[in-house]
Amino acid sequence: MPKKIRDEIKAIFFDIDGTYFDHEKNRVLPSTIKAMKKLKENGYKIALCSGRPLLMAKELDVFNHIEWDGFIGSAGNTVYDENLNKIKHNGFGDKELETIFFHR
């Protein structure tokens, strides 16, 4: 990767399923943890993301190996800080849900 592009990257996001968490071995591989630590050492912010909500992501033991800078869950509808405190929630309002489910 050209140095200029590399210097512009501030944060890297990793999807849990099939990228960070290995479902065949049912764990995060040591080589993946090592790579995440190296990214942090090089000054990058790193975060996990998933279509899963936070509670389901926690069932996979993905947060305990390194210090994350955040988590984006529920397919982008919730954003959490490094301490897994919710800082943003997007969702459908009653009117939007009515339109989606009841109007044909």
Side-chain angles (χ1 to χ4, degrees), residues 4-89:
K4 182 178 180 185
I5 293 172
R6 187 178 59 235
D7 290 344
E8 291 178 10
I9 296 172
K10 305 294 183 215
I12 305 171
F13 296 81
F14 296 91
D15 183 53
I16 290 174
D17 295 304
T19 303
Y20 182 70
F21 188 84
D22 186 323
H23 285 282
E24 288 182 19
K25 299 201 186 311
N26 202 33
R27 66 187 174 113
V28 179
L29 299 177
S31 59
T32 302
I33 296 168
K34 183 178 177 182
M36 297 301 110
K37 288 180 178 179
K38 188 72 172 170
L39 287 169
K40 292 282 285 183
E41 288 172 12
N42 286 317
Y44 293 100
K45 300 271 186 189
I46 57 172
L48 283 176
C49 58
S50 180
R52 299 167 181 258
L54 179 61
L55 289 176
M56 287 179 68
K58 284 182 172 181
E59 292 174 359
L60 296 178
D61 187 34
V62 294
F63 296 104
N64 298 323
H65 306 287
I66 62 166
E67 292 183 26
W68 293 97
D69 294 298
F71 173 67
I72 298 175
S74 301
N77 282 307
T78 53
V79 179
Y80 298 85
D81 67 12
E82 66 277 5
N83 298 311
L84 298 179
N85 296 311
K86 190 185 304 181
I87 57 175
K88 182 76 173 163
H89 176 77

